[in-house]
Amino acid sequence: MKRSEKAKSKSGIPRGKDAAESAVGEQEIRERIAQKAYALYEKRGQTHGNDLGDWFEAERLVWAQLEEQHHSKPRTPPQKSNGAKRTKRPNED
């Protein structure tokens, strides 16, 4: 795998030092996943036997939420030029 390619979790959500992860610390992401997994466990009536499924679903939901937050941030517009026009050099085509 190339360095430029992002590693993916089993849920297929990109992982690694991308924009979402750099905005939120790795420890905070783990805590969010754990909280979401526990909420899924409670939603299922606290029945045992699906802890791994709850974890993977929580991981998918948290990463999707981080991606959504990243894409919803307002982007800064490109800087305006100083008004000077580029002139073509005689040998340039």
Side-chain angles (χ1 to χ4, degrees):
M1 178 173 9
K2 296 178 184 176
R3 281 185 180 229
S4 62
E5 293 176 350
K6 295 176 186 172
K8 292 188 177 184
S9 68
K10 289 186 180 186
S11 62
I13 306 297
R15 305 236 4 219
K17 294 294 180 189
D18 60 0
E21 189 171 352
S22 63
V24 179
E26 197 173 318
Q27 182 63 32
E28 184 178 343
I29 291 171
R30 278 195 213 115
E31 289 172 12
R32 286 185 187 186
I33 293 169
Q35 290 170 354
K36 180 64 78 176
Y38 189 77
L40 292 170
Y41 163 74
E42 287 183 318
K43 188 176 181 180
R44 285 187 304 98
Q46 298 181 345
T47 56
H48 296 282
N50 197 28
D51 55 331
L52 195 56
D54 289 341
W55 185 268
F56 286 141
E57 177 64 9
E59 186 178 59
R60 186 188 68 75
L61 292 169
V62 167
W63 280 106
Q65 182 184 35
L66 288 171
E67 281 294 315
E68 185 178 308
Q69 288 172 354
H70 171 69
H71 290 298
S72 67
K73 287 183 181 177
R75 295 184 181 166
T76 56
Q79 286 187 331
K80 295 181 181 178
S81 66
N82 62 3
K85 292 185 179 181
R86 183 175 179 260
T87 57
K88 202 173 194 182
R89 294 183 182 162
N91 295 343
E92 192 176 326
D93 287 322

